[in-house]
Amino acid sequence: MAQLIDGKRISQEIKDELKEKVASLKERGKTAALAVIQVGNDPASCVYVGNKKKACEYIGIGSVSYEMPEETKEEALLALIDKLNEDTAVNGILVQLPLPSHICEDKVIEAISPQKDVDGFHPQNVGRLAIGKKGFVSCTPAGIVQLLKRSGIEIAGKNCVVVGRSNIVGKPMALLMLRENATVTIAHSKTRNLKDTCRQADILIVAIGKPQFITAEYIKEGAVVIDVGIHRDGANRLCGDVKYDEVAKLASAITPVPGGVGPMTIAMLMNNCVETML
Ligand code: NDP
């Protein structure tokens, strides 16, 4: 049976390290505050925003909430972001996605100052990642690299297949694995022979957004499998993009859902917030 990659334990380890770092930065007079903006009250977003605020409290940084109604005009949101960009007491700005459909997400992401973009979504930060320069990195992919490293899994020289090419997971994930010297393939909905492509992977990272899509047939024996997906199955239990029970029998290591990639996203958001204090 595969080694379980324990995101719950590793994310706690990271948050505890950050808590210590924040305490020593505070002794040197440095502080940080994260502005969290939510538009509307999508239940999942409320849970995510609540968890982010709790994590700030845990590691010892401030958070200021802006809860805006669903019908908020795009201009009003952009004006708030402008104000926060100028506010020297705010080091990080996070706009919870998705936004209501009348607001253009790209415009909002581009309005956030790249120096305060703790989600790492601004094109300037994505560009810096692409050319190997320092900048904020998208939290979920950064968390996956930490999961691998802290589980003792070597990345350099390995064949890594990333399934999914979204701007927030698949693409930055592929860039990060390249930075870590893996040989990287990106697969997507137009990929021919997805099974064969996946079976080449020493490290398979799945961010498709389709419940239990990846079965044992996609796995090379001994592969490391990282499951980014989060869904509810027919019995309302959380599950991922990977059919865990059958894949775990073939893989050498695997992330569970829940308790794998999920908790790492917030830990890495906190890491980005602490970076703003340095
Ligand atoms: P998107 O829907 O934006 O992207 C899905 C990607 O999967 C697309 O690139 C798409 O290809 C590809 N894809 C879809 N169907 C197939 C298929 N049959 N074969 C191959 N590729 C396919 O999703 P996200 O990247 O935003 O998220 C993916 C999953 O991860 C979701 O379940 C989401 O909930 C979860 N997630 C979890 C996070 C966490 O913290 N754990 C954070 C973010 C996301 P194409 O581009 O060709 O359409």
Side-chain angles (χ1 to χ4, degrees):
M1 206 64 175
Q3 170 199 343
L4 187 91
I5 301 177
D6 188 349
K8 225 170 147 184
R9 180 186 61 75
I10 296 171
S11 65
Q12 189 58 46
E13 189 178 290
I14 292 173
K15 282 189 283 182
D16 287 337
E17 288 166 14
L18 292 172
K19 192 175 179 169
E20 261 182 48
K21 216 168 175 177
V22 169
S24 84
L25 284 165
K26 274 187 177 166
E27 277 173 17
R28 287 187 265 145
K30 302 206 171 179
T31 55
L34 173 68
V36 184
I37 307 174
Q38 187 182 352
V39 184
N41 46 16
D42 170 66
S45 293
C46 292
V47 173
Y48 292 139
V49 164
N51 288 342
K52 287 170 188 176
K53 288 194 278 194
K54 258 191 248 159
C56 284
E57 207 175 304
Y58 184 79
I59 69 158
I61 65 173
S63 68
V64 200
S65 292
Y66 296 86
E67 280 145 27
M68 307 177 89
E70 180 85 22
E71 58 279 8
T72 299
K73 294 230 161 56
E74 187 178 277
E75 303 84 77
L77 177 57
L78 294 174
L80 172 62
I81 292 171
D82 265 353
K83 194 180 93 177
L84 295 169
N85 282 340
E86 298 302 319
D87 186 343
T88 51
V90 170
N91 324 45
I93 303 171
L94 180 153
V95 179
Q96 184 63 43
L97 302 180
L99 289 167
S101 56
H102 64 278
I103 299 179
C104 172
E105 281 187 0
D106 284 350
K107 234 185 198 173
V108 170
I109 289 169
E110 286 175 34
I112 298 171
S113 156
Q115 284 74 37
K116 296 191 178 186
D117 167 42
V118 284
D119 260 335
F121 294 162
H122 191 286
Q124 207 180 98
N125 282 318
V126 179
R128 293 184 76 81
L129 172 62
I131 59 171
K133 291 255 161 75
K134 206 172 163 350
F136 291 116
V137 177
S138 179
C139 302
T140 302
I144 291 170
V145 171
Q146 285 301 313
L147 277 181
L148 294 168
K149 286 189 171 173
R150 289 174 186 245
S151 302
I153 293 161
E154 210 182 308
I155 303 174
K158 297 280 179 68
N159 278 337
C160 173
V161 176
V162 179
V163 193
R165 55 174 167 181
S166 71
N167 288 340
I168 62 166
V169 187
K171 281 181 197 147
M173 188 73 248
L175 289 167
L176 272 180
M177 294 303 275
L178 189 61
R179 186 191 266 189
E180 296 296 330
N181 297 315
T183 302
V184 182
T185 303
I186 307 175
H188 46 79
S189 67
K190 306 288 184 295
T191 298
R192 288 192 193 141
N193 258 326
L194 185 63
K195 279 183 193 163
D196 287 347
T197 303
C198 290
R199 274 200 299 259
Q200 302 296 316
D202 302 313
I203 301 175
L204 179 66
I205 302 176
V206 188
I208 307 183
K210 298 215 161 113
Q212 303 185 317
F213 182 93
I214 298 290
T215 57
E217 291 174 293
Y218 290 76
I219 310 296
K220 176 170 83 175
E221 197 169 347
V224 172
V225 180
I226 306 290
D227 187 353
V228 186
I230 314 176
H231 317 274
R232 294 253 169 215
D233 67 9
N236 204 31
R237 282 178 310 226
L238 286 172
C239 70
D241 288 347
V242 173
K243 207 159 194 177
Y244 183 89
D245 290 344
E246 57 179 75
V247 170
K249 286 185 190 137
L250 274 176
S252 61
I254 186 166
T255 56
V257 178
V261 174
M264 294 302 291
T265 301
I266 292 189
M268 298 319 287
L269 173 69
M270 293 303 109
N271 183 65
N272 283 350
C273 291
V274 174
E275 295 267 307
T276 66
M277 299 170 79
L278 302 175

mmCIF file of all heavy atoms in Angstrom, residues 48 140 163-170 187-191 194 206-210 213 227-231 240-241 260-266, ligand 1:
data_model
loop_
_atom_site.group_PDB
_atom_site.id
_atom_site.type_symbol
_atom_site.label_atom_id
_atom_site.label_comp_id
_atom_site.label_asym_id
_atom_site.label_seq_id
_atom_site.Cartn_x
_atom_site.Cartn_y
_atom_site.Cartn_z
ATOM 1 N N TYR A 48 -14.041 29.068 3.178
ATOM 2 C CA TYR A 48 -12.633 29.338 2.847
ATOM 3 C C TYR A 48 -12.150 30.617 3.525
ATOM 4 O O TYR A 48 -11.069 30.668 4.102
ATOM 5 C CB TYR A 48 -12.430 29.457 1.329
ATOM 6 C CG TYR A 48 -12.631 28.160 0.573
ATOM 7 C CD1 TYR A 48 -13.296 28.124 -0.642
ATOM 8 C CD2 TYR A 48 -12.125 26.958 1.075
ATOM 9 C CE1 TYR A 48 -13.482 26.934 -1.335
ATOM 10 C CE2 TYR A 48 -12.304 25.772 0.389
ATOM 11 C CZ TYR A 48 -12.983 25.760 -0.821
ATOM 12 O OH TYR A 48 -13.151 24.579 -1.501
ATOM 13 N N THR A 140 -1.734 26.769 -4.105
ATOM 14 C CA THR A 140 -1.958 25.317 -4.197
ATOM 15 C C THR A 140 -0.733 24.619 -4.816
ATOM 16 O O THR A 140 -0.204 23.669 -4.224
ATOM 17 C CB THR A 140 -3.263 25.015 -4.968
ATOM 18 O OG1 THR A 140 -4.341 25.671 -4.295
ATOM 19 C CG2 THR A 140 -3.539 23.535 -5.052
ATOM 20 N N VAL A 163 -2.008 16.941 -15.003
ATOM 21 C CA VAL A 163 -3.243 16.876 -15.788
ATOM 22 C C VAL A 163 -4.110 18.075 -15.393
ATOM 23 O O VAL A 163 -4.552 18.175 -14.245
ATOM 24 C CB VAL A 163 -4.015 15.558 -15.569
ATOM 25 C CG1 VAL A 163 -5.105 15.418 -16.631
ATOM 26 C CG2 VAL A 163 -3.093 14.360 -15.611
ATOM 27 N N GLY A 164 -4.331 18.975 -16.334
ATOM 28 C CA GLY A 164 -5.044 20.235 -16.081
ATOM 29 C C GLY A 164 -4.111 21.400 -16.388
ATOM 30 O O GLY A 164 -2.911 21.327 -16.117
ATOM 31 N N ARG A 165 -4.667 22.463 -16.994
ATOM 32 C CA ARG A 165 -3.827 23.606 -17.381
ATOM 33 C C ARG A 165 -4.493 24.927 -16.975
ATOM 34 O O ARG A 165 -4.432 25.920 -17.715
ATOM 35 C CB ARG A 165 -3.545 23.584 -18.882
ATOM 36 C CG ARG A 165 -4.801 23.540 -19.720
ATOM 37 C CD ARG A 165 -4.526 23.673 -21.197
ATOM 38 N NE ARG A 165 -5.702 23.315 -21.979
ATOM 39 C CZ ARG A 165 -5.741 23.317 -23.294
ATOM 40 N NH1 ARG A 165 -4.673 23.633 -23.993
ATOM 41 N NH2 ARG A 165 -6.852 22.981 -23.932
ATOM 42 N N SER A 166 -5.181 24.928 -15.835
ATOM 43 C CA SER A 166 -5.804 26.181 -15.401
ATOM 44 C C SER A 166 -4.712 27.161 -14.959
ATOM 45 O O SER A 166 -3.591 26.762 -14.650
ATOM 46 C CB SER A 166 -6.773 25.924 -14.249
ATOM 47 O OG SER A 166 -6.057 25.600 -13.074
ATOM 48 N N ASN A 167 -5.083 28.452 -14.936
ATOM 49 C CA ASN A 167 -4.103 29.471 -14.544
ATOM 50 C C ASN A 167 -3.747 29.398 -13.075
ATOM 51 O O ASN A 167 -2.672 29.830 -12.682
ATOM 52 C CB ASN A 167 -4.647 30.873 -14.854
ATOM 53 C CG ASN A 167 -4.663 31.136 -16.340
ATOM 54 O OD1 ASN A 167 -3.958 30.472 -17.108
ATOM 55 N ND2 ASN A 167 -5.466 32.096 -16.763
ATOM 56 N N ILE A 168 -4.671 28.859 -12.242
ATOM 57 C CA ILE A 168 -4.368 28.871 -10.808
ATOM 58 C C ILE A 168 -3.747 27.566 -10.303
ATOM 59 O O ILE A 168 -3.116 27.560 -9.268
ATOM 60 C CB ILE A 168 -5.597 29.276 -9.946
ATOM 61 C CG1 ILE A 168 -6.749 28.303 -10.101
ATOM 62 C CG2 ILE A 168 -6.060 30.688 -10.244
ATOM 63 C CD1 ILE A 168 -7.813 28.485 -9.029
ATOM 64 N N VAL A 169 -3.918 26.479 -11.046
ATOM 65 C CA VAL A 169 -3.310 25.215 -10.593
ATOM 66 C C VAL A 169 -2.361 24.630 -11.653
ATOM 67 O O VAL A 169 -1.142 24.613 -11.460
ATOM 68 C CB VAL A 169 -4.357 24.147 -10.182
ATOM 69 C CG1 VAL A 169 -3.657 22.937 -9.572
ATOM 70 C CG2 VAL A 169 -5.394 24.676 -9.208
ATOM 71 N N GLY A 170 -2.911 24.159 -12.761
ATOM 72 C CA GLY A 170 -2.125 23.379 -13.726
ATOM 73 C C GLY A 170 -0.883 24.092 -14.246
ATOM 74 O O GLY A 170 0.231 23.559 -14.171
ATOM 75 N N ALA A 187 -0.951 17.794 -19.519
ATOM 76 C CA ALA A 187 -2.055 17.172 -20.269
ATOM 77 C C ALA A 187 -3.341 17.946 -20.001
ATOM 78 O O ALA A 187 -3.461 18.627 -18.991
ATOM 79 C CB ALA A 187 -2.213 15.720 -19.829
ATOM 80 N N HIS A 188 -4.284 17.854 -20.921
ATOM 81 C CA HIS A 188 -5.541 18.614 -20.807
ATOM 82 C C HIS A 188 -6.632 17.884 -21.582
ATOM 83 O O HIS A 188 -6.408 16.750 -22.041
ATOM 84 C CB HIS A 188 -5.347 20.050 -21.317
ATOM 85 C CG HIS A 188 -4.607 20.105 -22.609
ATOM 86 N ND1 HIS A 188 -5.217 19.837 -23.794
ATOM 87 C CD2 HIS A 188 -3.290 20.320 -22.870
ATOM 88 C CE1 HIS A 188 -4.311 19.915 -24.757
ATOM 89 N NE2 HIS A 188 -3.140 20.202 -24.226
ATOM 90 N N SER A 189 -7.765 18.538 -21.763
ATOM 91 C CA SER A 189 -8.907 17.815 -22.334
ATOM 92 C C SER A 189 -8.698 17.415 -23.805
ATOM 93 O O SER A 189 -9.403 16.553 -24.307
ATOM 94 C CB SER A 189 -10.178 18.653 -22.196
ATOM 95 O OG SER A 189 -10.083 19.798 -22.998
ATOM 96 N N LYS A 190 -7.727 18.039 -24.472
ATOM 97 C CA LYS A 190 -7.482 17.677 -25.882
ATOM 98 C C LYS A 190 -6.323 16.691 -26.030
ATOM 99 O O LYS A 190 -5.951 16.329 -27.142
ATOM 100 C CB LYS A 190 -7.170 18.930 -26.721
ATOM 101 C CG LYS A 190 -8.205 20.048 -26.628
ATOM 102 C CD LYS A 190 -9.500 19.682 -27.356
ATOM 103 C CE LYS A 190 -10.501 20.808 -27.360
ATOM 104 N NZ LYS A 190 -11.015 21.173 -26.033
ATOM 105 N N THR A 191 -5.740 16.267 -24.918
ATOM 106 C CA THR A 191 -4.615 15.322 -24.972
ATOM 107 C C THR A 191 -5.097 13.988 -25.527
ATOM 108 O O THR A 191 -6.121 13.462 -25.078
ATOM 109 C CB THR A 191 -4.022 15.115 -23.554
ATOM 110 O OG1 THR A 191 -3.537 16.368 -23.100
ATOM 111 C CG2 THR A 191 -2.908 14.095 -23.543
ATOM 112 N N LEU A 194 -4.655 9.919 -23.022
ATOM 113 C CA LEU A 194 -4.336 10.403 -21.678
ATOM 114 C C LEU A 194 -3.788 9.288 -20.782
ATOM 115 O O LEU A 194 -2.854 9.509 -20.007
ATOM 116 C CB LEU A 194 -5.586 11.042 -21.043
ATOM 117 C CG LEU A 194 -5.378 11.705 -19.697
ATOM 118 C CD1 LEU A 194 -4.421 12.889 -19.789
ATOM 119 C CD2 LEU A 194 -6.702 12.159 -19.093
ATOM 120 N N VAL A 206 -2.884 15.634 -10.463
ATOM 121 C CA VAL A 206 -4.174 15.656 -11.146
ATOM 122 C C VAL A 206 -5.027 16.827 -10.670
ATOM 123 O O VAL A 206 -5.377 16.915 -9.493
ATOM 124 C CB VAL A 206 -4.938 14.333 -10.901
ATOM 125 C CG1 VAL A 206 -6.184 14.291 -11.773
ATOM 126 C CG2 VAL A 206 -4.057 13.124 -11.171
ATOM 127 N N ALA A 207 -5.332 17.743 -11.583
ATOM 128 C CA ALA A 207 -6.207 18.891 -11.271
ATOM 129 C C ALA A 207 -7.179 19.062 -12.430
ATOM 130 O O ALA A 207 -7.090 19.984 -13.238
ATOM 131 C CB ALA A 207 -5.378 20.157 -11.071
ATOM 132 N N ILE A 208 -8.108 18.106 -12.525
ATOM 133 C CA ILE A 208 -9.061 18.069 -13.642
ATOM 134 C C ILE A 208 -10.404 18.654 -13.241
ATOM 135 O O ILE A 208 -11.117 19.230 -14.060
ATOM 136 C CB ILE A 208 -9.314 16.600 -14.099
ATOM 137 C CG1 ILE A 208 -8.028 15.853 -14.403
ATOM 138 C CG2 ILE A 208 -10.218 16.563 -15.303
ATOM 139 C CD1 ILE A 208 -8.277 14.441 -14.920
ATOM 140 N N GLY A 209 -10.778 18.434 -11.998
ATOM 141 C CA GLY A 209 -12.106 18.879 -11.564
ATOM 142 C C GLY A 209 -13.198 17.897 -11.941
ATOM 143 O O GLY A 209 -14.343 18.289 -12.150
ATOM 144 N N LYS A 210 -12.848 16.581 -12.043
ATOM 145 C CA LYS A 210 -13.849 15.540 -12.341
ATOM 146 C C LYS A 210 -13.718 14.437 -11.302
ATOM 147 O O LYS A 210 -12.651 13.799 -11.216
ATOM 148 C CB LYS A 210 -13.626 14.965 -13.741
ATOM 149 C CG LYS A 210 -13.780 15.996 -14.840
ATOM 150 C CD LYS A 210 -14.390 15.392 -16.098
ATOM 151 C CE LYS A 210 -14.960 16.469 -16.972
ATOM 152 N NZ LYS A 210 -14.259 16.660 -18.237
ATOM 153 N N PHE A 213 -11.935 10.512 -11.541
ATOM 154 C CA PHE A 213 -11.699 10.287 -12.975
ATOM 155 C C PHE A 213 -10.489 9.366 -13.206
ATOM 156 O O PHE A 213 -10.485 8.517 -14.093
ATOM 157 C CB PHE A 213 -11.465 11.647 -13.644
ATOM 158 C CG PHE A 213 -11.256 11.615 -15.122
ATOM 159 C CD1 PHE A 213 -12.315 11.788 -15.994
ATOM 160 C CD2 PHE A 213 -9.983 11.425 -15.652
ATOM 161 C CE1 PHE A 213 -12.117 11.783 -17.368
ATOM 162 C CE2 PHE A 213 -9.780 11.416 -17.022
ATOM 163 C CZ PHE A 213 -10.847 11.589 -17.883
ATOM 164 N N ASP A 227 -3.446 14.447 -5.710
ATOM 165 C CA ASP A 227 -4.838 14.682 -6.125
ATOM 166 C C ASP A 227 -5.287 16.072 -5.650
ATOM 167 O O ASP A 227 -5.422 16.311 -4.453
ATOM 168 C CB ASP A 227 -5.710 13.584 -5.476
ATOM 169 C CG ASP A 227 -7.150 13.607 -5.957
ATOM 170 O OD1 ASP A 227 -7.521 14.542 -6.688
ATOM 171 O OD2 ASP A 227 -7.890 12.668 -5.587
ATOM 172 N N VAL A 228 -5.496 16.982 -6.605
ATOM 173 C CA VAL A 228 -5.872 18.359 -6.246
ATOM 174 C C VAL A 228 -7.404 18.503 -6.115
ATOM 175 O O VAL A 228 -7.897 19.378 -5.428
ATOM 176 C CB VAL A 228 -5.329 19.365 -7.288
ATOM 177 C CG1 VAL A 228 -5.578 20.801 -6.848
ATOM 178 C CG2 VAL A 228 -3.828 19.159 -7.520
ATOM 179 N N GLY A 229 -8.134 17.642 -6.783
ATOM 180 C CA GLY A 229 -9.601 17.792 -6.862
ATOM 181 C C GLY A 229 -10.306 17.738 -5.517
ATOM 182 O O GLY A 229 -9.832 17.087 -4.575
ATOM 183 N N ILE A 230 -11.396 18.472 -5.416
ATOM 184 C CA ILE A 230 -12.261 18.368 -4.217
ATOM 185 C C ILE A 230 -13.710 18.308 -4.694
ATOM 186 O O ILE A 230 -14.156 19.215 -5.408
ATOM 187 C CB ILE A 230 -12.184 19.594 -3.280
ATOM 188 C CG1 ILE A 230 -10.744 20.019 -3.032
ATOM 189 C CG2 ILE A 230 -12.902 19.313 -1.958
ATOM 190 C CD1 ILE A 230 -10.636 21.280 -2.194
ATOM 191 N N HIS A 231 -14.409 17.248 -4.330
ATOM 192 C CA HIS A 231 -15.825 17.082 -4.707
ATOM 193 C C HIS A 231 -16.566 16.388 -3.581
ATOM 194 O O HIS A 231 -15.961 15.882 -2.656
ATOM 195 C CB HIS A 231 -15.952 16.192 -5.961
ATOM 196 C CG HIS A 231 -14.968 16.509 -7.020
ATOM 197 N ND1 HIS A 231 -15.184 17.465 -7.955
ATOM 198 C CD2 HIS A 231 -13.726 15.991 -7.290
ATOM 199 C CE1 HIS A 231 -14.144 17.531 -8.753
ATOM 200 N NE2 HIS A 231 -13.242 16.653 -8.374
ATOM 201 N N GLY A 240 -11.732 13.126 -4.349
ATOM 202 C CA GLY A 240 -10.885 13.897 -5.255
ATOM 203 C C GLY A 240 -11.093 13.539 -6.717
ATOM 204 O O GLY A 240 -12.118 12.948 -7.086
ATOM 205 N N ASP A 241 -10.118 13.897 -7.555
ATOM 206 C CA ASP A 241 -10.151 13.551 -8.978
ATOM 207 C C ASP A 241 -9.644 12.127 -9.215
ATOM 208 O O ASP A 241 -9.705 11.617 -10.331
ATOM 209 C CB ASP A 241 -9.246 14.513 -9.775
ATOM 210 C CG ASP A 241 -9.822 15.914 -9.894
ATOM 211 O OD1 ASP A 241 -11.014 16.104 -9.588
ATOM 212 O OD2 ASP A 241 -9.073 16.823 -10.320
ATOM 213 N N GLY A 260 -5.068 16.126 2.164
ATOM 214 C CA GLY A 260 -3.863 16.096 1.329
ATOM 215 C C GLY A 260 -3.472 17.508 0.915
ATOM 216 O O GLY A 260 -2.924 18.282 1.696
ATOM 217 N N VAL A 261 -3.853 17.846 -0.337
ATOM 218 C CA VAL A 261 -3.491 19.158 -0.905
ATOM 219 C C VAL A 261 -4.255 20.303 -0.227
ATOM 220 O O VAL A 261 -3.699 21.376 0.012
ATOM 221 C CB VAL A 261 -3.771 19.157 -2.432
ATOM 222 C CG1 VAL A 261 -3.558 20.531 -3.036
ATOM 223 C CG2 VAL A 261 -2.892 18.122 -3.122
ATOM 224 N N GLY A 262 -5.523 20.078 0.100
ATOM 225 C CA GLY A 262 -6.391 21.141 0.623
ATOM 226 C C GLY A 262 -5.767 21.996 1.723
ATOM 227 O O GLY A 262 -5.659 23.219 1.566
ATOM 228 N N PRO A 263 -5.336 21.372 2.842
ATOM 229 C CA PRO A 263 -4.797 22.189 3.934
ATOM 230 C C PRO A 263 -3.530 22.965 3.558
ATOM 231 O O PRO A 263 -3.201 23.960 4.193
ATOM 232 C CB PRO A 263 -4.477 21.152 5.022
ATOM 233 C CG PRO A 263 -5.045 19.864 4.589
ATOM 234 C CD PRO A 263 -5.384 19.947 3.148
ATOM 235 N N MET A 264 -2.818 22.485 2.531
ATOM 236 C CA MET A 264 -1.556 23.145 2.141
ATOM 237 C C MET A 264 -1.792 24.513 1.519
ATOM 238 O O MET A 264 -0.948 25.401 1.603
ATOM 239 C CB MET A 264 -0.807 22.260 1.134
ATOM 240 C CG MET A 264 -0.338 20.965 1.701
ATOM 241 S SD MET A 264 0.735 21.168 3.114
ATOM 242 C CE MET A 264 2.184 21.883 2.347
ATOM 243 N N THR A 265 -2.957 24.685 0.864
ATOM 244 C CA THR A 265 -3.221 25.948 0.169
ATOM 245 C C THR A 265 -3.203 27.107 1.170
ATOM 246 O O THR A 265 -2.566 28.139 0.929
ATOM 247 C CB THR A 265 -4.569 25.848 -0.575
ATOM 248 O OG1 THR A 265 -4.466 24.750 -1.492
ATOM 249 C CG2 THR A 265 -4.893 27.114 -1.343
ATOM 250 N N ILE A 266 -3.865 26.918 2.306
ATOM 251 C CA ILE A 266 -3.909 27.996 3.312
ATOM 252 C C ILE A 266 -2.534 28.194 3.956
ATOM 253 O O ILE A 266 -2.111 29.325 4.191
ATOM 254 C CB ILE A 266 -5.013 27.722 4.359
ATOM 255 C CG1 ILE A 266 -6.379 27.843 3.667
ATOM 256 C CG2 ILE A 266 -4.904 28.681 5.550
ATOM 257 C CD1 ILE A 266 -7.575 27.816 4.562
HETATM 258 P P1 NDP B 1 -10.443 24.060 -14.066
HETATM 259 O O1 NDP B 1 -11.802 23.571 -14.341
HETATM 260 O O2 NDP B 1 -10.110 25.506 -14.211
HETATM 261 O O3 NDP B 1 -9.408 23.247 -15.005
HETATM 262 C C1 NDP B 1 -9.552 21.885 -15.241
HETATM 263 C C2 NDP B 1 -8.473 21.431 -16.208
HETATM 264 O O4 NDP B 1 -8.639 20.026 -16.400
HETATM 265 C C3 NDP B 1 -8.566 22.095 -17.578
HETATM 266 O O5 NDP B 1 -7.289 22.495 -17.998
HETATM 267 C C4 NDP B 1 -9.145 21.006 -18.478
HETATM 268 O O6 NDP B 1 -8.627 21.012 -19.807
HETATM 269 C C5 NDP B 1 -8.653 19.747 -17.791
HETATM 270 N N1 NDP B 1 -9.555 18.629 -18.051
HETATM 271 C C6 NDP B 1 -10.899 18.588 -17.893
HETATM 272 N N2 NDP B 1 -11.380 17.401 -18.286
HETATM 273 C C7 NDP B 1 -10.330 16.681 -18.695
HETATM 274 C C8 NDP B 1 -10.183 15.370 -19.233
HETATM 275 N N3 NDP B 1 -11.234 14.567 -19.419
HETATM 276 N N4 NDP B 1 -8.955 14.953 -19.566
HETATM 277 C C9 NDP B 1 -7.876 15.751 -19.389
HETATM 278 N N5 NDP B 1 -7.948 17.002 -18.888
HETATM 279 C C10 NDP B 1 -9.164 17.449 -18.552
HETATM 280 O O7 NDP B 1 -10.083 23.532 -12.600
HETATM 281 P P2 NDP B 1 -8.989 24.032 -11.508
HETATM 282 O O8 NDP B 1 -7.619 23.870 -12.021
HETATM 283 O O9 NDP B 1 -9.401 25.334 -10.954
HETATM 284 O O10 NDP B 1 -9.277 22.951 -10.365
HETATM 285 C C11 NDP B 1 -9.161 21.572 -10.582
HETATM 286 C C12 NDP B 1 -9.666 20.804 -9.361
HETATM 287 O O11 NDP B 1 -8.911 21.170 -8.221
HETATM 288 C C13 NDP B 1 -11.132 21.136 -8.965
HETATM 289 O O12 NDP B 1 -11.707 19.962 -8.447
HETATM 290 C C14 NDP B 1 -10.988 22.167 -7.864
HETATM 291 O O13 NDP B 1 -12.078 22.145 -6.968
HETATM 292 C C15 NDP B 1 -9.738 21.683 -7.190
HETATM 293 N N6 NDP B 1 -8.971 22.729 -6.490
HETATM 294 C C16 NDP B 1 -8.519 22.415 -5.244
HETATM 295 C C17 NDP B 1 -7.755 23.320 -4.528
HETATM 296 C C18 NDP B 1 -7.247 22.930 -3.194
HETATM 297 O O14 NDP B 1 -6.882 23.782 -2.416
HETATM 298 N N7 NDP B 1 -7.187 21.628 -2.899
HETATM 299 C C19 NDP B 1 -7.447 24.643 -5.067
HETATM 300 C C20 NDP B 1 -7.899 24.854 -6.433
HETATM 301 C C21 NDP B 1 -8.640 23.910 -7.087
HETATM 302 P P3 NDP B 1 -8.923 22.208 -20.890
HETATM 303 O O15 NDP B 1 -8.029 23.341 -20.481
HETATM 304 O O16 NDP B 1 -8.548 21.606 -22.178
HETATM 305 O O17 NDP B 1 -10.385 22.530 -20.747
#
